[in-house]
Amino acid sequence: MGAMSNIKPPEGAAPMPPQPLTMQGGPWVLGRNFAVMTGVNAGLAVAIKHYRGGVEDYKGSMGASFGAGMCFTLVSNLGAKIGDHFSNNNKEVDTQYIATTEMLAALDLSKYEKNFKKGQLTDRTLPLLTE
C-alpha cells in the first residue's frame, strides 16, 4: 500500500474542515461506530421487510437507515457523556459552594454542609438558620 505524503498546504490556504463525528476517535471508536451502523441497519431492514410482508423497497431502506442513524447518534452521544463523566478534566470549581462551606465552618455550622451539597441550602437561605 502507498503512504501518505507530507505535502503541506500552501500559505493562506483555507484550514481543513472539522472531521465528521464518524471519523473521530481511535480504532475502537471507529469499529464501534461501524458495527452500530451496519448491524442496526441490517437488523431493521430485515424487521421492516418482515413487517411489510416481504416488500423490499425504498421506504423500508429509508426506515432502516433512519433507525441506524438514530442509534448511531445515541451511541455516540452516550459514549461521549460517559467519557466526560469519568474524566476529571472537566471538573469546574464551584466557587459558591466553596464560599458557603467556608461560611458554614466560620459559623460552626459544618453539620449543614451535607444539606447544601444536596442543593437544599443556598446563600439566600443561610440567614434563616437559627441555631
Side-chain angles (χ1 to χ4, degrees), residues 2-90:
M4 303 234 357
S5 64
N6 290 330
I7 298 175
K8 297 186 180 187
E11 294 293 325
M16 293 280 297
Q19 288 183 336
L21 188 60
T22 56
M23 300 304 289
Q24 294 178 352
W28 290 105
V29 173
L30 294 175
R32 179 200 65 198
N33 293 345
F34 181 75
V36 168
M37 291 292 283
T38 56
V40 172
N41 191 1
L44 283 176
V46 168
I48 290 172
K49 182 179 177 182
H50 177 73
Y51 178 75
R52 296 186 72 213
V55 176
E56 187 172 0
D57 60 352
Y58 72 94
K59 293 178 184 177
S61 296
M62 286 184 353
S65 298
F66 176 77
M70 290 299 296
C71 286
F72 168 74
T73 301
L74 290 173
V75 167
S76 296
N77 290 338
L78 181 63
K81 296 293 182 193
I82 290 173
D84 288 345
H85 178 71
F86 287 111
S87 70
N88 291 329
N89 299 339
N90 298 335

Side-chain angles (χ1 to χ4, degrees), residues 108-125:
D108 196 27
L109 299 172
S110 297
K111 62 183 176 182
Y112 293 107
E113 181 181 348
K114 66 179 186 290
N115 293 334
F116 180 73
K117 188 147 184 107
K118 292 178 186 175
Q120 296 173 352
L121 293 174
T122 62
D123 284 338
R124 292 186 302 257
T125 61

Side-chain angles (χ1 to χ4, degrees), residues 101-110 126 129 131:
T101 303
E102 291 174 359
M103 186 187 320
L104 288 171
L107 296 172
D108 196 27
L109 299 172
S110 297
L126 283 177
L129 297 175
E131 280 191 327

